[in-house]
C-alpha cells in the first residue's frame, strides 16, 4: 500500500507529495539550490519593477474566510525572501458569495495588488468568483481566461497554476527527459486537470486521466512513468501497481516537507510575473491601427449621409489600437470616450512626435475648410502612409451649428464621426463650462446684494457659521485671510477692522466684468438688466450674456496643463473691481473649489475617430477673436505622446494665420512649451479671388459668377494675401506647406497658378487637396509634403518677449503681422494698460480681439491692406487664462441668428431616431 510518504526501495524511484490550493498548513523546510535560484531570479525581477516605478508596492492579497494566520505568516516569510508585500483580508467564516465578490472587485482596482489568492471553502470557489478576479491577478491561474490561454498554446500570456508549476518543477529536478513517457492523472478534476494535461503534453508526454472509481485504474498505473494523484478517493495504491522507476506525485497529503515551500514559491513567482507584466503594459505600446475602408461616391452625398454610411469602430477598440490602457478610458456610449490625464504620467519619458499646425489665409464668411484639411491629412498619414497620426480639434459651439456656419466635424469624405455627436452635446464639456461660468455670475450678484443689506457682524456670522458650537474658516477663506495679510486661523481672534476687510469685497456694480453665458446665438441677450424682482431690493444693474465658448473658463480649459493648474487659474479669474480699484477674483468669492468640481471631467479630452478610423481628440473650443482660438494644450500633449517619435499630431488654429496661428505661437506654445514643426496653410481659389477684388459673399446666398468661372487675374491679385500669411509664418521660423482645398469650380490653370506663386513666396510645397471627394487618398500628396517639411529643422521663435511693455507687444503684432503703420490707443485703453502695469499683469502675452475677415480692423479691406493705423478702443484682461486682450473696433461676444438659420433643416425621425439636416 502507498500512503502518505512511503519509501518502497527500488520499486518507486521518487515519491513526492504536493498540496492543493484549498488546504494549507505551514511546514518548516530547507531551501534547495534550485529554490534559491528561483528566489534570486524573482527578487531581481521585482527589483527591476520597483526601480522602474518607485511608487508601486507589489503586493499579494490573501482573501480568506476566518482569521487563521498560518497561511499569512508562511507567505510573509516567503515573500520577504523575494521582496514582496503580503496583505490579508479576513472575511467572516460564514461569509457570502456577494461579500467575496465585493472584496475581489476592490482588489482588482488596487494598483499595488498584483496577485489575489483565495483561501476559501470549496462552496465559495465558484466560477463566478474565480472569473471575477482580473486574469493578470489570478495567482492560482484557474480563471477561464488563463486556462483558455494555456489550452490555446499561449503559455506566456497567462499565469500558470502554482500547483501545476510545482509538479513540473519537481519532475524537472529528476533530470530525466519527459518526452515520450506516459503520465496518468488520478482523481484530478476541473481546471487543474486541464492545466496539467496541457502542460505535460507540451513536454511531449502521453497523458491519460482516470477517476478513482475507474475499473481500469490499476491497468493505467502499471503503464505509467509518472503518476499524479489527488482527490479523496478511498482506493489504496499498492506498490505492486507501479512499474520500476516510476515517479509518483501525491497531491493528497499536506504534510510533506519541501512541497509546500515549492508551491508557495510558484505562487509568489506569479505575483512577480504579474507585476512585471504590469510594468510592460505601462510602457509605450506600438499601434495596431486598423483603418476603415472608404468607398467615395460621386456626386458626393451630404455630410450626414456620408457619416451615417460609415460604421465606426467601437471606441474601446480604437483605444486599444493606439496603445491606451482600459483604465485610461471613460466611455460615453460606443463611439466616444474621455481619456484620463494619468496617461501623461505613464508616458512621461516617451519621446513626442512631430507637431503640425493647420492655419489659413484670411477667410470668406463661408470658411475655407481648415477642419476638413486637418481630417484629410491625418486620414492620409495613418490610413494610407501607415504613419501614426492624431488630429486635435476644437469642440464646436451649438451657436453656429444652429445658426449659419453649421458644424465643425469637417466635411465630405474627411469628417469626424459620428458627426451628430461631434456637433451637438459631445461629452458635455460646454455645458460644464456654462454651469461653472454662471455659478461665478450668480456669486457676484449675490455677494453685492448681501454686502449692501447686512452689517459686518451679520456677514461674518453667516460666512463663518458656528456648527455644533465650533467656528472655523474653510481652506479658501484662510487663503483670503493670507492675501489680506491676516495671519490668523481662529475666527474668534479677528479684530473688527479685520472682520470688515474679510467680509467686504466691496465690488463696484459698475465695474463687474464677468458675464453670464449660454451656448446659443441669441442677439437679445447682448444687453439685459438683472435684479428687477422685489426680492433683490432694488439692486439692479445692466449686464449681458456672451456665448459659452467666449467664457474665460473655456480659454482656461484650452491652456491648462492639469487639474492643479486649472484650479489655480480658475482662482485667479478677475470678476470685477472694488470701489477702491482693486481686482476681485474667484478666490475672493470663495467659489474656486466648486468650479474645479464642475470642471473635473471636462478637463479630459474626448477621443473620437475619422471616417477612416484614425484617432481624433476633441477638446475645448475658445473663440478665435476674443480668445486664442485653439484646441487644448492637454489634447496636444496626450496625442504627441501616443503617436510616438515617428508620428504626427495635426491641430488647427481658428480663422486666418494672422489671428489663430499668431495666438497659437505666442500664447498656446508659451503655455505648453511645445514647438511646432510645420504650418499647413489652407487656401481656396474662391477666397483668393475675393482678396483679388471679387465681390462680397454671404453665407446662404449663391456665389457670384466670379467665383464659379475661371479668372486668373483675380486669383493672381488675391495671392497677395497668401504671400503675406506665408511671411507671417516665417516670422516664427516655421516651414510652410500650402494646402489648396479644391472645389469643383476650380480650374487646372487656377490651381497651377496658386501653387507656383506659393512656392515662389517661400512655401516648402504647395499641394492641391481632394480629401472632400476622395478622403485620405485625396490628401496623400499633402501628407508626403508635410512629412518632408517636418524633417527639416524648425527654428521656432516667439514674436516678442514677455518682458516687452504691453503697448510694444500690441505694436509689434500690428506692424509685423497685420501690416499696420502704427497703433492708436483710446484714453480708456491707455488707462487700462497703466492699471494692468500697476497690478503686475504687464508680463502676460497679448491676445488681439480683431475681425477675422481682414488683416486690418476693417472687414471690407481684403488682400493686404496698407497705410492704416490700428485703433485700440479698449484693453481687457483674462488673468486666469493668462493674457491681455486689446479690443480692435467693436467685437460681439454674442452672435445673432440670421433670417433663415440652420435649424429650419434639422429634424429627428421619431421612429428611427435619425437626425437630418446637420452639416
Amino acid at each position: 500500500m502507498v500512503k502518505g510518504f512511503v519509501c518502497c526501495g527500488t520499486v518507486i524511484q521518487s515519491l513526492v507529495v504536493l498540496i492543493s490550493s484549498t488546504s494549507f498548513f505551514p511546514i518548516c523546510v530547507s531551501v534547495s539550490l534550485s529554490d534559491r535560484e528561483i528566489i534570486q531570479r524573482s527578487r531581481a525581477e521585482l527589483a527591476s519593477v520597483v526601480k522602474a516605478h518607485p511608487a508601486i508596492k507589489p503586493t499579494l492579497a490573501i482573501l480568506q474566510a476566518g482569521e487563521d494566520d498560518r497561511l499569512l505568516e508562511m507567505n510573509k516569510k516567503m515573500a520577504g525572501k523575494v521582496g514582496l508585500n503580503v496583505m490579508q483580508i479576513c472575511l467572516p467564516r460564514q461569509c457570502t458569495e456577494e461579500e467575496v465578490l465585493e472584496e475581489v472587485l476592490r482588489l482588482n482596482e488596487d494598483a499595488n495588488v498584483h496577485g489575489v489568492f483565495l483561501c476559501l471553502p470549496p462552496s465559495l470557489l465558484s466560477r463566478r468568483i474565480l472569473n471575477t478576479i482580473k486574469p493578470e491577478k489570478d495567482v492560482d491561474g484557474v480563471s477561464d481566461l488563463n486556462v483558455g490561454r494555456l489550452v490555446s498554446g499561449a503559455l506566456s500570456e497567462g499565469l500558470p497554476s502554482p500547483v501545476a508549476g510545482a509538479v513540473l518543477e519537481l519532475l524537472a529536478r529528476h533530470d530525466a527527459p519527459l518526452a515520450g513517457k506516459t503520465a496518468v492523472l488520478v482523481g484530478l478534476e476541473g481546471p487543474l486537470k486541464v492545466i496539467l494535461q496541457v502542460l505535460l503534453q507540451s513536454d511531449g508526454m502521453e497523458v491519460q486521466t482516470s477517476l478513482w472509481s475507474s475499473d481500469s485504474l490499476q491497468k493505467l498505473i502499471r503503464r505509467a512513468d509518472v503518476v499524479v494523484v489527488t482527490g479523496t478517493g478511498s482506493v489504496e495504491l499498492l506498490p505492486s501497481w507501479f512499474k520500476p522507476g516510476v515517479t509518483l506525485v501525491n497531491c493528497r497529503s499536506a504534510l510533506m516537507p519541501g512541497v509546500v515551500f515549492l508551491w508557495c514559491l510558484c505562487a509568489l513567482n506569479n505575483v512577480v510575473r504579474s507585476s512585471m507584466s504590469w510594468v510592460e503594459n505601462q510602457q509605450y505600446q506600438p499601434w495596431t491601427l486598423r483603418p476603415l475602408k472608404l468607398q467615395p461616391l460621386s456626386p458626393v452625398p451630404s455630410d450626414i449621409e456620408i457619416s451615417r454610411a460609415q460604421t465606426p469602430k467601437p471606441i474601446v477598440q480604437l483605444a486599444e489600437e493606439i496603445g491606451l490602457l482600459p483604465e485610461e478610458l471613460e466611455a460615453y456610449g460606443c463611439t466616444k470616450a474621455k481619456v484620463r490625464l494619468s496617461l501623461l504620467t505613464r508616458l512621461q519619458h516617451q519621446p513626442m512626435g512631430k507637431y503640425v499646425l493647420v492655419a489659413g489665409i484670411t477667410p470668406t464668411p463661408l470658411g475655407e475648410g481648415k477642419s476638413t484639411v486637418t481630417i484629410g491629412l491625418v486620414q492620409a498619414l495613418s490610413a494610407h502612409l501607415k504613419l501614426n497620426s492624431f488630429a486635435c480639434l476644437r469642440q464646436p459651439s451649438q451657436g453656429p451649428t444652429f445658426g449659419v456656419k453649421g458644424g465643425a466635424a469637417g466635411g465630405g469624405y474627411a469628417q469626424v464621426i459620428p458627426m451628430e455627436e461631434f456637433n451637438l452635446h459631445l461629452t458635455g464639456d460646454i455645458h460644464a463650462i456654462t454651469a461653472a461660468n454662471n455659478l461665478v455670475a450668480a456669486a457676484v450678484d449675490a455677494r453685492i446684494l448681501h454686502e449692501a443689506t447686512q452689517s459686518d457682524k451679520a456677514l461674518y456670522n453667516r460666512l463663518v457659521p458656528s456648527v455644533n458650537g465650533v467656528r472655523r474658516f474653510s481652506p479658501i477663506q484662510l487663503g483670503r485671510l493670507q492675501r489680506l495679510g491676516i495671519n490668523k486661523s481662529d475666527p474668534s481672534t479677528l479684530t473688527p477692522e479685520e472682520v470688515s476687510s474679510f467680509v467686504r469685497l466691496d465690488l463696484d456694480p459698475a465695474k463687474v466684468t464677468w458675464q453670464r453665458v449660454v451656448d446659443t446665438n441669441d442677439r437679445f441677450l447682448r444687453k439685459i438688466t438683472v435684479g428687477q424682482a422685489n426680492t433683490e431690493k432694488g439692486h439692479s444693474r445692466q449686464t449681458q450674456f456672451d456665448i459659452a465658448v467666449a467664457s474665460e473658463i473655456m480659454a482656461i480649459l484650452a491652456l491648462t496643463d492639469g487639474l492643479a493648474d486649472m484650479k489655480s487659474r480658475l482662482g485667479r479669474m478677475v470678476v470685477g473691481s472694488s470701489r477702491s480699484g482693486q481686482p476681485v477674483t474667484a478666490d475672493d468669492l470663495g467659489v474656486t473649489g466648486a468650479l474645479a468640481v464642475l470642471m473635473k471631467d471636462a478637463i479630459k479630452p474626448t477621443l473620437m475617430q475619422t471616417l477612416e478610423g484614425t484617432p481624433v481628440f476633441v477638446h475645448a473650443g475658445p473663440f478665435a477673436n476674443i480668445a486664442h482660438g485653439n484646441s487644448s494644450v492637454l489634447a496636444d500633449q496626450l496625442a504627441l505622446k501616443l503617436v510616438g517619435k515617428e508620428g504626427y499630431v495635426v491641430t488647427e488654429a481658428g480663422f486666418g494665420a494672422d489671428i489663430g496661428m499668431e495666438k497659437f505661437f505666442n500664447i498656446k506654445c508659451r503655455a505648453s512649451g511645445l514647438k511646432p514643426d510645420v504650418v499647413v496653410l489652407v487656401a481656396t481659389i474662391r477666397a483668393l479671388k475675393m482678396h483679388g477684388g471679387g465681390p462680397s459673399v454671404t453665407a446662404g446666398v449663391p456665389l457670384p459668377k466670379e467665383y464659379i468661372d475661371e479668372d486668373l487675374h483675380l486669383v493672381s491679385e488675391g495671392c497677395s494675401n497668401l504671400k503675406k500669411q506665408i511671411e507671417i509664418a516665417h516670422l516664427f521660423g516655421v516651414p510652410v506647406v500650402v494646402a489648396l482645398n479644391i472645389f469643383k469650380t476650380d480650374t487646372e490653370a487656377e490651381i497651377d497658378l496658386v501653387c507656383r506663386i506659393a512656392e515662389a513666396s517661400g512655401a516648402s510645397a504647395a499641394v492641391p487637396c481632394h480629401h472632400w471627394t476622395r478622403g485620405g487618398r485625396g490628401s496623400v500628396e499633402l501628407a508626403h509634403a508635410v512629412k518632408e517639411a517636418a524633417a527639416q529643422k524648425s527654428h521656432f521663435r516667439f514674436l516678442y518677449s514677455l518682458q516687452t511693455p504691453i503697448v510694444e507687444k500690441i505694436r509689434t503684432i500690428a506692424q509685423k503681422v497685420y501690416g499696420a503703420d502704427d497703433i492708436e490707443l483710446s484714453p480708456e485703453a491707455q488707462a487700462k494698460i497703466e492699471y494692468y502695469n500697476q497690478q503686475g499683469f504687464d508680463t502676460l502675452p497679448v491676445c488681439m480681439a480683431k475681425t477675422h475677415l481682414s488683416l486690418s480692423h476693417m472687414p471690407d479691406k481684403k488682400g493686404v491692406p496698407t497705410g492704416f493705423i490700428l485703433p485700440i478702443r479698449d484693453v481687457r484682461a483674462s488673468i486666469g487664462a493668462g493674457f491681455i486682450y486689446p479690443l480692435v473696433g467693436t467685437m460681439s461676444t454674442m452672435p445673432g441668428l440670421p433670417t433663415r438659420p440652420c435649424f429650419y433643416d434639422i429634424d429627428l425621425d421619431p421612429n428611427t431616431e435619425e437626425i437630418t439636416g446637420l452639416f
Side-chain angles (χ1 to χ4, degrees):
M1 179 181 71
V2 177
K3 188 175 181 181
F5 181 68
V6 179
C7 182
C8 301
T10 60
V11 176
I12 302 177
Q13 185 183 63
S14 175
L15 179 63
V16 295
V17 182
L18 192 61
I19 182 174
S20 72
S21 63
T22 55
S23 60
F24 177 84
F25 300 94
I27 307 287
C28 294
V29 299
S30 59
V31 182
S32 71
L33 178 61
S34 296
D35 295 335
R36 289 193 185 96
E37 290 173 351
I38 295 173
I39 291 172
Q40 289 172 359
R41 183 179 67 247
S42 296
R43 189 176 186 87
E45 290 172 344
L46 193 64
S48 68
V49 169
V50 176
K51 183 178 179 181
H53 294 270
I56 73 164
K57 299 178 180 179
T59 300
L60 169 66
I62 300 173
L63 182 59
Q64 65 184 62
E67 298 186 1
D68 190 339
D69 290 336
R70 289 177 293 174
L71 178 61
L72 175 67
E73 292 306 315
M74 202 284 299
N75 274 285
K76 275 188 174 180
K77 181 178 179 181
M78 291 291 297
K81 297 177 183 295
V82 175
L84 280 170
N85 298 292
V86 178
M87 64 183 293
Q88 180 185 35
I89 300 99
C90 296
L91 296 175
R93 192 169 294 278
Q94 303 301 321
C95 61
T96 65
E97 186 177 85
E98 292 304 318
E99 289 175 308
V100 174
L101 282 172
E102 183 178 345
E103 284 298 327
V104 168
L105 290 170
R106 184 181 64 81
L107 293 171
N108 279 346
E109 300 308 313
D110 189 333
N112 283 320
V113 171
H114 291 98
V116 177
F117 171 67
L118 302 181
C119 185
L120 300 169
S123 61
L124 288 176
L125 293 175
S126 65
R127 302 312 303 164
R128 181 187 179 198
I129 287 180
L130 293 177
N131 288 323
T132 298
I133 301 175
K134 283 187 175 180
E136 63 269 25
K137 298 187 179 188
D138 173 27
V139 168
D140 268 334
V142 292
S143 68
D144 288 350
L145 184 56
N146 274 328
V147 174
R149 284 169 171 167
L150 189 72
V151 171
S152 67
L155 301 179
S156 62
E157 292 183 14
L159 294 180
S161 162
V163 176
V167 169
L168 293 178
E169 178 65 23
L170 288 168
L171 293 176
R173 291 181 183 183
H174 289 285
D175 295 327
L178 299 178
K181 294 187 176 180
T182 301
V184 175
L185 311 181
V186 182
L188 271 72
E189 297 179 322
L192 183 58
K193 170 186 171 181
V194 175
I195 292 169
L196 269 175
Q197 188 171 1
V198 170
L199 289 174
L200 291 173
Q201 285 175 340
S202 69
D203 280 339
M205 298 191 75
E206 178 187 342
V207 181
Q208 296 178 312
T209 62
S210 174
L211 299 175
W212 284 102
S213 58
S214 173
D215 293 335
S216 60
L217 176 61
Q218 181 177 350
K219 181 179 178 182
L220 289 172
I221 290 177
R222 285 187 184 278
R223 296 178 53 243
D225 302 296
V226 174
V227 178
V228 180
V229 299
T230 189
T232 56
S234 58
V235 177
E236 295 181 352
L237 301 181
L238 300 176
S240 59
W241 291 11
F242 298 90
K243 72 178 183 180
V246 70
T247 299
L248 172 64
V249 181
N250 188 351
C251 300
R252 303 175 73 188
S253 172
L255 304 176
M256 184 59 207
V259 178
V260 171
F261 180 93
L262 188 55
W263 170 86
C264 184
L265 201 57
C266 290
L268 293 177
N269 190 54
N270 273 353
V271 182
V272 175
R273 285 186 58 179
S274 176
S275 64
M276 290 181 66
S277 176
W278 180 86
V279 168
E280 289 175 5
N281 287 336
Q282 297 303 302
Q283 306 305 310
Y284 177 80
Q285 303 296 318
W287 285 22
T288 56
L289 189 70
R290 181 184 64 82
L292 298 177
K293 291 183 179 179
L294 202 59
Q295 296 178 325
L297 300 177
S298 182
V300 177
S302 70
D303 291 349
I304 197 165
E305 288 174 325
I306 293 172
S307 174
R308 192 168 290 137
Q310 182 68 289
T311 301
K313 290 182 280 192
I315 201 64
V316 292
Q317 177 187 329
L318 175 63
E320 183 180 359
E321 289 176 354
I322 62 174
L324 285 166
L325 303 181
E327 58 267 26
E328 292 168 341
L329 208 66
E330 297 176 4
Y332 282 64
C334 298
T335 56
K336 55 186 184 293
K338 288 283 193 183
V339 174
R340 294 179 178 171
L341 304 187
S342 58
L343 172 67
L344 288 174
T345 302
R346 177 170 71 88
L347 298 183
Q348 59 185 313
H349 301 301
Q350 169 66 22
M352 293 185 177
K354 298 293 185 181
Y355 197 24
V356 181
L357 174 69
V358 175
I361 64 170
T362 304
T364 68
L366 307 178
E368 307 316 311
K370 293 191 302 297
S371 298
T372 312
V373 169
T374 300
I375 300 305
L377 175 55
V378 294
Q379 288 181 177
L381 285 166
S382 289
H384 299 275
L385 300 191
K386 307 305 179 185
L387 298 169
N388 294 352
S389 74
F390 232 112
C392 293
L393 298 178
R394 289 179 293 168
Q395 179 183 354
S397 164
Q398 289 180 182
T401 298
F402 291 103
V404 175
K405 184 174 178 292
Y413 286 100
Q415 291 188 54
V416 180
I417 58 171
M419 66 92 78
E420 308 100 305
E421 296 183 21
F422 177 94
N423 283 320
L424 297 177
H425 304 284
L426 199 64
T427 48
D429 293 356
I430 293 180
H431 299 315
I433 288 166
T434 301
N437 185 99
N438 293 344
L439 178 61
V440 177
V444 166
D445 285 316
R447 189 59 175 262
I448 291 173
L449 171 67
H450 293 316
E451 287 190 22
T453 57
Q454 297 180 50
S455 66
D456 290 353
K457 182 178 180 181
L459 280 169
Y460 194 54
N461 287 338
R462 287 181 171 87
L463 288 170
V464 194
S466 176
V467 180
N468 297 325
V470 178
R471 296 182 74 182
R472 59 169 57 94
F473 294 116
S474 67
I476 200 165
Q477 289 176 327
L478 289 171
R480 171 161 169 75
L481 287 171
Q482 291 174 0
R483 289 192 300 276
L484 292 170
I486 302 172
N487 297 315
K488 297 179 180 179
S489 58
D490 184 349
S492 65
T493 62
L494 267 64
T495 66
E497 292 78 15
E498 290 171 338
V499 167
S500 182
S501 296
F502 172 73
V503 301
R504 297 211 174 269
L505 303 180
D506 200 26
L507 263 166
D508 186 343
K511 294 182 179 178
V512 171
T513 56
W514 195 264
Q515 318 295 354
R516 289 168 172 81
V517 299
V518 63
D519 197 34
T520 303
N521 289 2
D522 192 343
R523 64 177 68 246
F524 282 88
L525 294 178
R526 289 170 177 170
K527 182 172 285 190
I528 61 170
T529 302
V530 295
Q532 292 189 337
N534 293 333
T535 51
E536 275 53 74
K537 304 175 183 178
H539 291 278
S540 63
R541 68 181 183 88
Q542 277 199 345
T543 182
Q544 68 184 58
F545 269 79
D546 295 337
I547 196 163
V549 292
S551 170
E552 183 176 353
I553 296 177
M554 175 63 88
I556 287 173
L557 178 67
L559 290 170
T560 190
D561 63 7
L563 273 171
D565 177 66
M566 182 179 72
K567 186 176 177 183
S568 176
R569 287 174 180 266
L570 291 170
R572 295 198 300 269
M573 294 187 306
V574 174
V575 300
S577 299
S578 68
R579 287 182 171 84
S580 63
Q582 294 302 307
V584 177
T585 66
D587 266 349
D588 293 325
L589 283 171
V591 74
T592 305
L595 300 180
V597 169
L598 287 171
M599 294 294 294
K600 74 177 183 67
D601 291 321
I603 197 174
K604 304 165 192 169
T606 298
L607 177 67
M608 295 188 75
Q609 63 193 285
T610 68
L611 277 167
E612 298 192 52
T614 67
V616 179
F617 272 139
V618 187
H619 200 216
F623 257 24
N625 48 14
I626 67 164
H628 64 289
N630 288 270
S631 61
S632 76
V633 165
L634 282 169
D636 291 357
Q637 289 175 332
L638 290 170
L640 283 163
K641 291 290 187 179
L642 283 169
V643 297
K645 188 176 181 180
E646 304 302 321
Y648 296 81
V649 170
V650 184
T651 189
E652 175 200 344
F655 296 143
D658 56 304
I659 295 182
M661 183 185 72
E662 180 271 316
K663 295 174 181 179
F664 173 86
F665 291 146
N666 281 323
I667 297 175
K668 184 177 179 180
C669 289
R670 287 188 200 269
S672 67
L674 301 174
K675 295 181 179 180
D677 295 286
V678 186
V679 168
V680 174
L681 192 63
V682 179
T684 60
I685 298 293
R686 68 183 185 184
L688 292 171
K689 287 180 176 179
M690 182 187 68
H691 288 296
S696 298
V697 296
T698 304
V701 176
L703 288 172
K705 64 181 183 64
E706 288 86 348
Y707 297 102
I708 299 172
D709 300 336
E710 182 177 286
D711 193 325
L712 296 178
H713 175 71
L714 280 181
V715 173
S716 178
E717 291 295 311
C719 280
S720 61
N721 187 271
L722 176 60
K723 294 177 186 177
K724 176 62 176 176
Q725 302 288 13
I726 294 171
E727 177 188 316
I728 293 170
H730 287 162
L731 287 174
F732 296 90
V734 183
V736 177
V737 172
V738 170
L740 188 59
N741 191 14
I742 301 301
F743 287 73
K744 63 181 180 181
T745 55
D746 301 341
T747 68
E748 286 299 322
E750 290 172 332
I751 293 169
D752 290 342
L753 176 62
V754 173
C755 291
R756 288 199 310 272
I757 292 174
E759 291 179 356
S761 302
S764 299
V767 181
C769 301
H770 302 272
H771 44 269
W772 191 80
T773 55
R774 303 177 194 170
R777 191 174 301 281
S779 283
V780 167
E781 188 180 353
L782 174 63
H784 281 297
V786 167
K787 182 182 177 184
E788 186 175 338
Q792 302 173 21
K793 184 165 183 171
S794 173
H795 301 281
F796 175 68
R797 55 187 174 270
F798 297 117
L799 193 61
Y800 54 79
S801 164
L802 291 181
Q803 306 308 314
T804 302
I806 293 175
V807 172
E808 291 307 313
K809 291 173 188 171
I810 298 171
R811 181 174 285 114
T812 298
I813 295 172
Q815 293 178 335
K816 293 189 176 182
V817 177
Y818 307 151
D821 287 347
D822 204 350
I823 61 173
E824 182 179 44
L825 297 174
S826 70
E828 183 180 5
Q830 185 63 57
K832 288 284 189 68
I833 290 174
E834 291 173 2
Y835 173 73
Y836 295 144
N837 288 337
Q838 293 169 5
Q839 296 297 326
F841 301 153
D842 55 316
T843 58
L844 294 176
V846 167
C847 183
M848 301 292 284
K850 181 187 79 70
T851 178
H852 61 288
L853 296 174
S854 172
L855 283 164
S856 72
H857 59 288
M858 301 166 284
D860 58 333
K861 299 295 183 183
K862 306 302 180 182
V864 183
T866 57
F868 64 94
I869 304 295
L870 193 72
I872 310 298
R873 69 173 181 86
D874 195 6
V875 179
R876 298 177 186 171
S878 292
I879 303 305
F883 52 73
I884 303 291
Y885 62 100
L887 298 179
V888 181
T890 302
M891 295 299 304
S892 174
T893 54
M894 171 55 78
L897 289 173
T899 304
R900 194 187 190 283
C902 296
F903 60 64
Y904 276 95
D905 301 311
I906 298 172
D907 203 357
L908 177 73
D909 186 319
N911 296 317
T912 64
E913 297 187 9
E914 285 191 349
I915 298 170
T916 58
L918 279 177
F919 68 94

